[in-house]
Amino acid sequence: MPAQLTHVALFVRDVARTIEFYQKYAGLHVVHNRVDDDVPVAWLSEQESEPRFVIVTIQLQPGEAAEPPHMAHFGYDLPSRQAVDEMATRGEAEGVLVQGPLDAGPIVGYYCILRDPDGNFVEFSHGQPIDPKRIG
């Protein structure tokens, strides 16, 4: 089974303003909204329920640079933890592995991170449902 693009993570200055803009101009729906350690996070999707792809918006903290911070990334779903391990092994062999396999719990799942030729991060994960009804 090929990897499936599930999300793009964007760092924004104000999550509420970003939600308002994308709802107003692109018709996106908020399918998940939370605060992690005082950091607002919202998932936006074209589908109101059972999303297949989301834009994850993460609010920059005061003083953080506007350019993409270290975890701005594209996220791909893989069919198994073994597939994540295999991706990490390939990335390590080719010198592009940034983060080896890590289990970050039920929301983030099991993932590794590679760096593309332009320095962008690409996350490959398993067990990271983007449908909030399937979380925890």
Side-chain angles (χ1 to χ4, degrees):
M1 179 177 168
Q4 178 183 354
L5 184 64
T6 59
H7 68 278
V8 173
L10 299 177
F11 285 80
V12 301
R13 295 184 194 286
D14 184 325
V15 166
R17 282 190 3 209
T18 300
I19 290 170
E20 180 182 4
F21 176 88
Y22 281 98
Q23 285 177 328
K24 180 178 181 179
Y25 292 102
L28 298 185
H29 305 276
V30 176
V31 296
H32 182 69
N33 205 349
R34 69 178 190 273
V35 176
D36 284 342
D37 297 323
D38 296 324
V39 177
V41 176
W43 297 358
L44 308 174
S45 177
E46 293 175 338
Q47 292 82 27
E48 197 166 1
S49 63
E50 300 183 23
R52 294 182 312 275
F53 178 84
V54 295
I55 297 171
V56 177
T57 59
I58 305 165
Q59 189 160 303
L60 288 164
Q61 293 303 290
E64 281 187 303
E67 60 272 354
H70 76 283
M71 271 309 292
H73 65 278
F74 292 99
Y76 287 90
D77 179 54
L78 293 174
S80 67
R81 290 172 67 105
Q82 180 180 348
V84 173
D85 292 340
E86 291 168 1
M87 186 65 69
T89 299
R90 285 176 49 199
E92 185 173 37
E94 296 171 14
V96 297
L97 181 66
V98 174
Q99 167 68 58
L102 177 69
D103 191 335
I107 292 177
V108 178
Y110 187 70
Y111 73 95
C112 70
I113 298 174
L114 308 183
R115 184 185 315 269
D116 79 9
D118 294 303
N120 298 301
F121 285 0
V122 183
E123 175 193 84
F124 292 91
S125 67
H126 177 70
Q128 186 182 99
I130 60 169
D131 183 347
K133 289 181 243 153
R134 298 171 71 195
I135 297 173

